[in-house]
Structures are given as structure tokens and as C-alpha cells.
Amino acid sequence: MPEPTDEGLSQNPIIQNEPVQTSCDLLQKPWQEMDLDWSEKSLDGLLKEIEEYTPLAEFEDNSDISHVNILLSGRISSGKSSFFNTIDSVIKGRLSLRSRAGCASSSLTKSLDVYKVKRKGTSKSFNFRMIDCRGLEEDQSLNSRDVEAILDGHVMDGYVFNQSTPITKDNAKFRKDPTLADRVHCVIFVVDGSNPPEITMSQHVEKQVKELQEMMNRRKIPQLILLTKVDTMATVKEDLSKVFHSKSVLEMRDKVAMSFGLPAYTVLPMQNLANSRTVSKEIKILTLYNLRQILQAADDFLENHEEEISGDKYKGAQTNSY
């Protein structure tokens, strides 16, 4: 796996000293500090931040980048589609089923789906897009040329994957001249936290992940890990606000980070709505807290391409290779 890198990633402060244990799983001090609490005031503040988010808002010349593109990747049934549904549910204040989610022997996502989240009560969207593609499978692999085309902004919403034939420049869903605004700005590896990495990261899946990471590293795209289903752990199931006090979540975080070759602070614990039909205050806060980290990572990528934003120099990969 690639060596851990700090480049292009917003860091969460991690407590280095071993926390004091007060029960079999609950730790007295959190292993990761949040800059907020679990109150309604914090929820309102997070929602305001997401509503007001504009890519690189501190830069004067950022008008060409109206939104950031977040690619969701991971093994089938890990919670990729459920994560988008959870975000949409939190914004709407009700259960959203826009993205097909569930458990299956093969990926439920057969096409590249680009999702916008509408602002409540309006037709306008938030300034981010979630890109959902087919999940990683034991007996099938994503075509590497398709992945490169997605990362470079060539693949449009609705493209149907074909295992034997990658996208070509003659395909109606192929964007021939992508700009920096069309590229993927951050990648989220979604991992099932109810299973240890040695199960979710079989040799074949690990090989796929390594190949994907090599493509992303060449493009210096930030990578984060969304650790889903943390509510399967007893302490968190009883009280989601204790997620950063759970020794079980801490141990799983460290194992998953090591298996991906990424720093531990890139792991974002998450409870999707798959196991709950109610959008609790705690789910809302954790969802928006993680989304804020994702948007900050995307901003890090764009900041490293400030010259391209100013001059719009990026013209994508050579279309002759497709």
C-alpha cells in the first residue's frame, strides 16, 4: 500500500496520549477532539457552514469553480449510496431514498451517478456533487481506463459501466474537453466498520484499492476513509455522541488506516441511516461534521491548483488515449 502522506489533507487534532478507560469500551477522554459539542447550536452552526460553503471562498478568482466533486468508492454493501442518502436526509429533515442502497452479491450501482443536494425549499443546490460509481467486487474490477477518465473529468452523469469495454471518446457520455471544475477533487473510500479490514480488504479488493490509489496519488487527489456502521458497536449504538470515546471505534480506525496506508486522521466514523429511519440530532451533527472535513479536503486540492484556476489551463488527459 502507498506510504502515508499528509499532503493536501486537512488534519483533525489527535490526542497522542493513551486515554483513560472507564469501562470495557468507553474511554474517559475522546481519542479525537471535536471543535464543537452535540448541541442544537452546534447543529445550526454546521448547517450554516455547509449552506454557505463556496469552493476556495478566500480566493478572489474562483468563479470558474462553482462546486466540488466528491467520488465515493468502496466495496459493495459498504454504505456508499447510503452515505449520500443520509446527507440528503439530514438536509431535508426526512428519510431520502434517492440513491439505491442495500445488500447484494454484486454492485447495485451499475452507472456513474452524480448527485446534487437541493437546498431546502428552493431549486438551488449546495456547492458540492457526490459521484457514486459501482462498488469493488471480488470477481470483477473497475476498468482502470474508466477510473482515470472519471478522475480527469471525462465521464458524464449516467454513463453505464461495461467491464469488458472502457469508455471511448466516441461515447455520448464522454466529455472531450474537461476543465478543472469537472475533475474529481476528493475521493472517499467507504469501509464497512462492522467487519475487520482482513475481511473487507481481501487480496483481490486490496489490489484494486492499491491501483486506484496509485492513480489518485499521481493526480495528488486527497483521500479520506468513511468508516460506516459504527453503530454496530455497543457503546455507539446506545449513544452516538460517544463515538470518539469508543475504544472499539478507535481500534477499528487504526486498523483501517493501516490497511489503506493513510494517516489515522483521514478516517471519518459514520452512522448511515440504513439501520435507522429517524434522523436524530446526533446523526445530523456527525454527518455534517464529516461532510465539512470532506469539503475542506477538496479545497486543499483546489488550493494546490490555484494557477490553473486563475488561467483555466487544465484541458484534461489526451483524448487520443481513450
Side-chain angles (χ1 to χ4, degrees), residues 150-217:
I150 293 169
L151 297 177
D152 291 333
H154 286 292
V155 185
M156 301 168 69
D157 182 25
Y159 168 69
V160 178
F161 294 101
N162 185 322
Q163 178 64 25
S164 59
T165 307
I167 194 169
T168 66
K169 62 182 179 180
D170 298 322
N171 192 293
K173 294 294 184 180
F174 184 88
R175 183 183 290 110
K176 295 183 179 179
D177 296 304
T179 65
L180 185 63
D182 300 311
R183 296 173 68 179
V184 168
H185 306 125
C186 181
V187 175
I188 309 301
F189 286 108
V190 183
V191 178
D192 181 351
S194 65
N195 289 309
E198 54 266 28
I199 294 178
T200 58
M201 290 285 286
S202 65
Q203 187 174 8
H204 180 67
V205 172
E206 183 176 357
K207 180 181 178 182
Q208 293 182 67
V209 169
K210 182 177 180 180
E211 291 173 352
L212 292 175
Q213 288 187 300
E214 288 176 353
M215 299 178 202
M216 297 162 192
N217 291 338

Coordinates of all heavy atoms in Angstrom, one line a residue, residues 150-217:
I150 N -12.8 9.1 -15.2 CA -13.6 9.7 -14.2 C -12.8 10.7 -13.4 O -13.3 11.9 -13.2 CB -14.2 8.6 -13.2 CG1 -15.2 7.7 -13.9 CG2 -14.8 9.3 -12.0 CD1 -15.5 6.5 -13.1
L151 N -11.6 10.4 -12.9 CA -10.8 11.3 -12.2 C -10.5 12.5 -13.0 O -10.4 13.6 -12.4 CB -9.5 10.6 -11.7 CG -9.7 9.4 -10.8 CD1 -8.3 8.8 -10.5 CD2 -10.3 9.8 -9.5
D152 N -10.3 12.4 -14.3 CA -9.9 13.5 -15.1 C -11.1 14.3 -15.6 O -10.9 15.3 -16.3 CB -9.1 13.0 -16.3 CG -7.7 12.5 -15.9 OD1 -7.2 13.0 -14.9 OD2 -7.1 11.7 -16.6
G153 N -12.3 13.9 -15.3 CA -13.5 14.7 -15.6 C -14.1 14.4 -17.0 O -14.9 15.2 -17.5
H154 N -13.7 13.3 -17.6 CA -14.2 12.9 -18.9 C -15.5 12.3 -18.9 O -16.3 12.3 -19.9 CB -13.2 12.0 -19.6 CG -11.9 12.7 -20.1 ND1 -11.9 13.6 -21.1 CD2 -10.7 12.6 -19.7 CE1 -10.7 14.0 -21.4 NE2 -9.9 13.4 -20.5
V155 N -15.9 11.6 -17.8 CA -17.1 10.8 -17.8 C -18.3 11.6 -17.2 O -18.2 12.2 -16.1 CB -16.9 9.5 -16.9 CG1 -18.1 8.6 -17.0 CG2 -15.7 8.8 -17.4
M156 N -19.4 11.6 -17.9 CA -20.6 12.4 -17.5 C -21.6 11.5 -16.8 O -21.5 10.3 -16.8 CB -21.2 13.0 -18.8 CG -20.3 13.9 -19.6 SD -20.9 14.3 -21.2 CE -22.2 15.4 -20.8
D157 N -22.5 12.2 -16.1 CA -23.5 11.5 -15.3 C -24.3 10.6 -16.2 O -24.7 10.9 -17.3 CB -24.5 12.6 -14.8 CG -25.6 12.1 -13.9 OD1 -25.4 11.0 -13.3 OD2 -26.6 12.7 -13.8
G158 N -24.6 9.4 -15.7 CA -25.4 8.4 -16.4 C -24.6 7.4 -17.2 O -25.2 6.5 -17.8
Y159 N -23.3 7.5 -17.3 CA -22.5 6.5 -18.1 C -22.7 5.1 -17.5 O -22.5 5.0 -16.2 CB -21.0 6.9 -18.1 CG -20.1 5.9 -18.6 CD1 -20.1 5.5 -19.9 CD2 -19.2 5.2 -17.8 CE1 -19.3 4.5 -20.4 CE2 -18.4 4.2 -18.2 CZ -18.4 3.9 -19.6 OH -17.6 2.9 -20.0
V160 N -23.0 4.1 -18.3 CA -23.2 2.8 -17.8 C -21.9 2.0 -18.0 O -21.3 2.0 -19.1 CB -24.3 2.1 -18.6 CG1 -24.5 0.6 -18.1 CG2 -25.6 2.8 -18.4
F161 N -21.4 1.4 -16.9 CA -20.1 0.7 -16.9 C -20.2 -0.6 -17.7 O -21.2 -1.3 -17.7 CB -19.6 0.4 -15.5 CG -19.3 1.6 -14.7 CD1 -20.2 2.1 -13.8 CD2 -18.1 2.3 -14.9 CE1 -19.8 3.3 -13.1 CE2 -17.7 3.4 -14.2 CZ -18.6 3.9 -13.3
N162 N -19.2 -0.9 -18.5 CA -19.0 -2.1 -19.2 C -17.7 -2.8 -18.9 O -16.6 -2.2 -19.2 CB -19.1 -1.9 -20.7 CG -19.1 -3.2 -21.5 OD1 -18.5 -4.1 -21.2 ND2 -19.9 -3.2 -22.6
Q163 N -17.7 -3.9 -18.2 CA -16.5 -4.5 -17.7 C -15.5 -4.8 -18.7 O -14.3 -4.6 -18.6 CB -16.8 -5.8 -16.9 CG -15.6 -6.5 -16.4 CD -14.9 -5.8 -15.3 OE1 -15.5 -4.9 -14.6 NE2 -13.6 -6.0 -15.1
S164 N -15.9 -5.2 -19.9 CA -15.0 -5.6 -21.0 C -14.6 -4.4 -21.9 O -13.5 -4.5 -22.5 CB -15.6 -6.7 -21.9 OG -16.9 -6.2 -22.4
T165 N -15.3 -3.3 -21.9 CA -15.0 -2.2 -22.8 C -15.1 -0.9 -22.0 O -16.1 -0.5 -21.6 CB -16.0 -2.2 -23.9 OG1 -16.1 -3.4 -24.6 CG2 -15.6 -1.1 -24.9
P166 N -13.9 -0.2 -21.9 CA -13.9 1.1 -21.2 C -14.5 2.2 -22.1 O -14.7 2.0 -23.3 CB -12.4 1.3 -21.0 CG -11.7 0.6 -22.1 CD -12.6 -0.6 -22.4
I167 N -14.8 3.3 -21.5 CA -15.3 4.4 -22.3 C -14.4 4.9 -23.3 O -13.1 4.8 -23.2 CB -15.7 5.6 -21.3 CG1 -16.6 6.6 -22.0 CG2 -14.4 6.2 -20.7 CD1 -17.2 7.6 -21.0
T168 N -14.9 5.3 -24.4 CA -14.1 5.9 -25.5 C -14.6 7.3 -25.8 O -15.7 7.7 -25.4 CB -14.2 5.1 -26.8 OG1 -15.6 5.2 -27.3 CG2 -13.9 3.6 -26.5
K169 N -13.8 8.0 -26.6 CA -14.1 9.4 -26.9 C -15.3 9.6 -27.8 O -15.9 10.7 -27.9 CB -12.9 10.1 -27.5 CG -12.5 9.6 -28.8 CD -11.3 10.3 -29.4 CE -10.8 9.7 -30.7 NZ -9.6 10.4 -31.2
D170 N -15.8 8.5 -28.4 CA -17.0 8.5 -29.2 C -18.3 8.3 -28.4 O -19.4 8.4 -29.0 CB -16.9 7.4 -30.3 CG -15.7 7.7 -31.2 OD1 -15.4 8.9 -31.5 OD2 -15.0 6.7 -31.7
N171 N -18.1 7.9 -27.1 CA -19.3 7.7 -26.3 C -20.0 9.0 -26.0 O -19.4 10.0 -25.8 CB -18.9 7.0 -25.0 CG -20.0 6.5 -24.2 OD1 -20.9 7.2 -23.7 ND2 -20.1 5.2 -24.1
A172 N -21.3 9.0 -26.0 CA -22.1 10.2 -25.8 C -21.9 10.7 -24.4 O -22.1 11.9 -24.2 CB -23.6 9.9 -26.0
K173 N -21.4 9.9 -23.5 CA -21.2 10.3 -22.1 C -19.7 10.7 -21.9 O -19.3 10.9 -20.7 CB -21.6 9.2 -21.1 CG -23.1 8.9 -21.1 CD -23.9 10.1 -20.6 CE -25.4 9.8 -20.5 NZ -26.2 10.9 -20.0
F174 N -19.0 10.9 -22.9 CA -17.6 11.3 -22.8 C -17.4 12.8 -23.0 O -17.8 13.3 -24.0 CB -16.7 10.5 -23.8 CG -15.2 10.7 -23.7 CD1 -14.5 10.0 -22.9 CD2 -14.6 11.8 -24.4 CE1 -13.1 10.2 -22.8 CE2 -13.3 12.0 -24.3 CZ -12.5 11.2 -23.5
R175 N -16.9 13.4 -22.0 CA -16.6 14.9 -22.1 C -15.2 15.1 -22.7 O -14.2 14.7 -22.0 CB -16.7 15.5 -20.7 CG -16.6 17.0 -20.7 CD -16.6 17.6 -19.3 NE -18.0 17.5 -18.7 CZ -18.3 16.7 -17.7 NH1 -17.4 15.8 -17.2 NH2 -19.5 16.7 -17.2
K176 N -15.1 15.6 -23.8 CA -13.8 15.7 -24.5 C -12.9 16.8 -24.0 O -11.7 16.6 -24.1 CB -14.1 15.9 -26.0 CG -14.8 14.8 -26.7 CD -15.0 15.0 -28.2 CE -15.7 13.8 -28.8 NZ -15.9 14.0 -30.3
D177 N -13.4 17.8 -23.5 CA -12.5 18.9 -23.0 C -12.9 19.4 -21.6 O -13.4 20.4 -21.4 CB -12.6 20.1 -24.0 CG -12.1 19.8 -25.4 OD1 -11.0 19.4 -25.5 OD2 -12.9 20.0 -26.3
P178 N -12.6 18.5 -20.6 CA -12.9 18.8 -19.2 C -12.0 20.0 -18.7 O -10.9 20.1 -19.1 CB -12.7 17.5 -18.5 CG -11.6 16.9 -19.3 CD -11.9 17.2 -20.7
T179 N -12.6 20.7 -17.8 CA -11.8 21.8 -17.1 C -11.6 21.3 -15.7 O -12.0 20.2 -15.3 CB -12.6 23.1 -17.0 OG1 -13.8 22.9 -16.2 CG2 -13.0 23.5 -18.4
L180 N -10.9 22.1 -14.9 CA -10.6 21.7 -13.5 C -11.9 21.5 -12.8 O -11.9 20.7 -11.9 CB -9.7 22.8 -12.9 CG -9.2 22.5 -11.5 CD1 -8.3 21.3 -11.4 CD2 -8.5 23.8 -10.9
A181 N -12.9 22.2 -13.1 CA -14.2 22.1 -12.4 C -14.9 20.8 -12.6 O -15.7 20.4 -11.8 CB -15.1 23.2 -12.9
D182 N -14.5 20.0 -13.7 CA -15.1 18.7 -14.0 C -14.3 17.6 -13.3 O -14.9 16.5 -13.3 CB -15.1 18.5 -15.5 CG -15.8 19.6 -16.3 OD1 -17.0 19.8 -15.9 OD2 -15.3 20.1 -17.3
R183 N -13.1 17.8 -12.8 CA -12.3 16.8 -12.3 C -12.9 16.3 -10.9 O -13.7 17.0 -10.3 CB -10.9 17.2 -12.1 CG -10.2 17.5 -13.4 CD -8.8 18.1 -13.2 NE -7.9 17.2 -12.6 CZ -6.6 17.4 -12.4 NH1 -6.1 18.7 -12.6 NH2 -5.8 16.5 -11.9
V184 N -12.4 15.2 -10.4 CA -12.6 14.8 -9.1 C -11.7 15.5 -8.1 O -10.5 15.5 -8.4 CB -12.5 13.2 -8.9 CG1 -12.5 12.8 -7.5 CG2 -13.6 12.5 -9.7
H185 N -12.2 16.1 -7.1 CA -11.4 16.9 -6.2 C -11.1 16.2 -4.9 O -10.2 16.7 -4.1 CB -12.2 18.2 -5.9 CG -12.5 19.0 -7.2 ND1 -13.8 19.4 -7.4 CD2 -11.8 19.3 -8.2 CE1 -13.9 20.0 -8.6 NE2 -12.6 20.0 -9.1
C186 N -11.8 15.2 -4.6 CA -11.6 14.4 -3.3 C -12.2 13.0 -3.5 O -13.2 12.9 -4.1 CB -12.1 15.1 -2.1 SG -11.9 14.2 -0.5
V187 N -11.5 12.0 -3.0 CA -12.1 10.6 -3.0 C -12.3 10.1 -1.6 O -11.5 10.3 -0.7 CB -11.1 9.7 -3.8 CG1 -11.6 8.2 -3.7 CG2 -10.9 10.1 -5.2
I188 N -13.5 9.5 -1.5 CA -13.9 8.9 -0.2 C -13.9 7.4 -0.3 O -14.7 6.9 -1.1 CB -15.2 9.4 0.3 CG1 -15.3 10.9 0.3 CG2 -15.5 8.9 1.7 CD1 -14.3 11.6 1.1
F189 N -13.1 6.7 0.4 CA -13.1 5.2 0.4 C -14.1 4.9 1.5 O -13.9 5.2 2.7 CB -11.8 4.6 0.7 CG -10.8 4.6 -0.5 CD1 -9.7 5.5 -0.5 CD2 -11.0 3.8 -1.6 CE1 -8.9 5.5 -1.6 CE2 -10.2 3.9 -2.7 CZ -9.1 4.7 -2.7
V190 N -15.2 4.2 1.2 CA -16.2 3.8 2.2 C -16.0 2.4 2.6 O -15.9 1.5 1.8 CB -17.6 4.0 1.6 CG1 -18.7 3.7 2.6 CG2 -17.8 5.4 1.0
V191 N -15.8 2.2 4.0 CA -15.5 0.9 4.5 C -16.5 0.5 5.6 O -16.9 1.3 6.4 CB -14.1 1.0 5.2 CG1 -13.7 -0.3 5.8 CG2 -13.0 1.4 4.2
D192 N -16.9 -0.7 5.5 CA -17.9 -1.3 6.5 C -17.2 -1.5 7.8 O -16.3 -2.4 8.0 CB -18.4 -2.6 5.9 CG -19.4 -3.3 6.8 OD1 -19.6 -2.8 7.9 OD2 -20.0 -4.3 6.4
G193 N -17.6 -0.7 8.8 CA -16.9 -0.8 10.1 C -17.4 -1.9 11.0 O -16.8 -2.2 12.0
S194 N -18.4 -2.7 10.5 CA -18.9 -3.8 11.3 C -18.0 -5.1 11.0 O -18.2 -6.1 11.7 CB -20.3 -4.1 10.9 OG -20.5 -4.6 9.6
N195 N -17.1 -5.0 10.1 CA -16.2 -6.1 9.7 C -14.8 -5.7 9.8 O -14.4 -4.5 9.4 CB -16.5 -6.7 8.3 CG -17.8 -7.4 8.3 OD1 -18.1 -8.3 9.1 ND2 -18.6 -7.1 7.3
P196 N -13.8 -6.5 10.3 CA -12.4 -6.1 10.3 C -11.8 -6.0 8.9 O -12.4 -6.6 8.0 CB -11.8 -7.3 11.1 CG -12.7 -8.4 11.0 CD -14.1 -7.8 10.9
P197 N -10.8 -5.2 8.8 CA -10.2 -5.0 7.4 C -9.8 -6.3 6.7 O -9.8 -6.3 5.5 CB -8.9 -4.1 7.7 CG -9.3 -3.5 9.0 CD -10.1 -4.5 9.8
E198 N -9.4 -7.3 7.5 CA -8.9 -8.5 6.8 C -10.1 -9.2 6.1 O -9.9 -10.1 5.2 CB -8.3 -9.5 7.8 CG -9.1 -9.8 9.0 CD -8.8 -8.9 10.2 OE1 -8.4 -7.8 10.0 OE2 -9.0 -9.4 11.4
I199 N -11.3 -8.9 6.4 CA -12.5 -9.4 5.7 C -12.9 -8.5 4.6 O -13.1 -8.9 3.5 CB -13.7 -9.6 6.7 CG1 -13.4 -10.7 7.7 CG2 -15.0 -9.9 5.9 CD1 -14.5 -10.9 8.7
T200 N -13.0 -7.2 4.9 CA -13.4 -6.2 3.9 C -12.3 -6.0 2.8 O -12.6 -5.6 1.7 CB -13.8 -4.9 4.5 OG1 -12.7 -4.4 5.2 CG2 -15.0 -5.0 5.4
M201 N -11.1 -6.2 3.2 CA -9.9 -6.0 2.3 C -9.3 -7.3 1.9 O -8.2 -7.6 2.3 CB -8.9 -5.0 3.0 CG -9.4 -3.6 3.1 SD -9.4 -2.7 1.5 CE -7.6 -2.4 1.4
S202 N -10.0 -8.1 1.1 CA -9.4 -9.3 0.6 C -8.3 -9.0 -0.3 O -8.1 -7.8 -0.7 CB -10.5 -10.2 -0.1 OG -10.9 -9.5 -1.3
Q203 N -7.5 -10.0 -0.7 CA -6.3 -9.8 -1.5 C -6.7 -9.1 -2.8 O -6.1 -8.2 -3.3 CB -5.6 -11.1 -1.8 CG -4.3 -10.9 -2.5 CD -3.5 -12.2 -2.6 OE1 -4.0 -13.3 -2.3 NE2 -2.3 -12.1 -3.1
H204 N -7.9 -9.6 -3.4 CA -8.3 -9.0 -4.7 C -8.8 -7.6 -4.6 O -8.4 -6.7 -5.4 CB -9.4 -9.9 -5.3 CG -9.9 -9.4 -6.6 ND1 -9.1 -9.4 -7.8 CD2 -11.1 -8.8 -7.0 CE1 -9.8 -8.9 -8.8 NE2 -11.0 -8.6 -8.3
V205 N -9.6 -7.3 -3.5 CA -10.0 -6.0 -3.3 C -8.9 -5.0 -2.9 O -8.8 -3.9 -3.4 CB -11.1 -5.9 -2.2 CG1 -11.5 -4.5 -1.8 CG2 -12.4 -6.7 -2.6
E206 N -7.9 -5.5 -2.1 CA -6.8 -4.7 -1.8 C -6.0 -4.3 -3.0 O -5.5 -3.2 -3.1 CB -5.9 -5.5 -0.8 CG -4.7 -4.7 -0.3 CD -3.9 -5.4 0.7 OE1 -4.3 -6.5 1.1 OE2 -2.9 -4.9 1.2
K207 N -5.9 -5.2 -4.0 CA -5.1 -5.0 -5.2 C -5.9 -3.9 -6.0 O -5.2 -2.9 -6.5 CB -5.0 -6.2 -6.1 CG -4.3 -6.0 -7.4 CD -4.2 -7.3 -8.2 CE -3.6 -7.0 -9.5 NZ -3.5 -8.3 -10.4
Q208 N -7.2 -3.9 -6.0 CA -8.0 -2.9 -6.7 C -7.8 -1.5 -6.0 O -7.6 -0.5 -6.7 CB -9.4 -3.2 -6.7 CG -9.8 -4.4 -7.6 CD -11.3 -4.7 -7.5 OE1 -12.1 -3.9 -8.1 NE2 -11.8 -5.8 -6.9
V209 N -7.8 -1.5 -4.7 CA -7.6 -0.3 -4.0 C -6.3 0.3 -4.2 O -6.1 1.5 -4.5 CB -7.9 -0.5 -2.5 CG1 -7.4 0.7 -1.7 CG2 -9.3 -0.8 -2.2
K210 N -5.2 -0.5 -4.2 CA -3.9 0.0 -4.5 C -3.8 0.6 -5.9 O -3.1 1.6 -6.0 CB -2.9 -1.2 -4.3 CG -1.4 -0.8 -4.5 CD -0.5 -2.0 -4.3 CE 0.9 -1.6 -4.5 NZ 1.9 -2.7 -4.3
E211 N -4.4 0.0 -6.9 CA -4.3 0.5 -8.2 C -5.1 1.8 -8.3 O -4.6 2.8 -8.9 CB -5.0 -0.5 -9.2 CG -4.1 -1.7 -9.4 CD -4.8 -2.8 -10.2 OE1 -6.1 -2.6 -10.5 OE2 -4.2 -3.8 -10.6
L212 N -6.2 1.9 -7.6 CA -7.0 3.2 -7.6 C -6.1 4.3 -6.9 O -6.1 5.4 -7.4 CB -8.3 3.0 -6.8 CG -9.3 2.1 -7.5 CD1 -10.5 2.0 -6.5 CD2 -9.8 2.7 -8.8
Q213 N -5.5 3.9 -5.8 CA -4.7 4.9 -5.0 C -3.5 5.4 -5.9 O -3.1 6.6 -5.8 CB -4.3 4.3 -3.7 CG -5.4 4.2 -2.7 CD -4.9 3.8 -1.3 OE1 -4.3 2.7 -1.2 NE2 -5.1 4.6 -0.3
E214 N -2.9 4.5 -6.6 CA -1.8 5.0 -7.5 C -2.3 6.0 -8.5 O -1.6 7.0 -8.7 CB -1.2 3.7 -8.2 CG -0.4 2.8 -7.3 CD 0.1 1.6 -8.0 OE1 -0.3 1.4 -9.2 OE2 0.8 0.8 -7.4
M215 N -3.5 5.8 -9.1 CA -4.0 6.8 -10.0 C -4.3 8.1 -9.3 O -4.0 9.2 -9.8 CB -5.3 6.3 -10.6 CG -5.2 5.0 -11.4 SD -6.8 4.5 -12.1 CE -6.5 2.8 -12.4
M216 N -4.8 8.1 -8.1 CA -5.1 9.3 -7.3 C -3.9 10.0 -6.8 O -3.8 11.2 -6.8 CB -6.0 8.9 -6.1 CG -7.4 8.3 -6.5 SD -8.2 7.4 -5.1 CE -9.5 6.6 -6.0
N217 N -2.9 9.2 -6.4 CA -1.6 9.8 -5.9 C -0.9 10.6 -7.1 O -0.3 11.6 -6.8 CB -0.7 8.7 -5.4 CG -1.3 8.2 -4.0 OD1 -2.0 8.8 -3.4 ND2 -0.8 7.0 -3.7

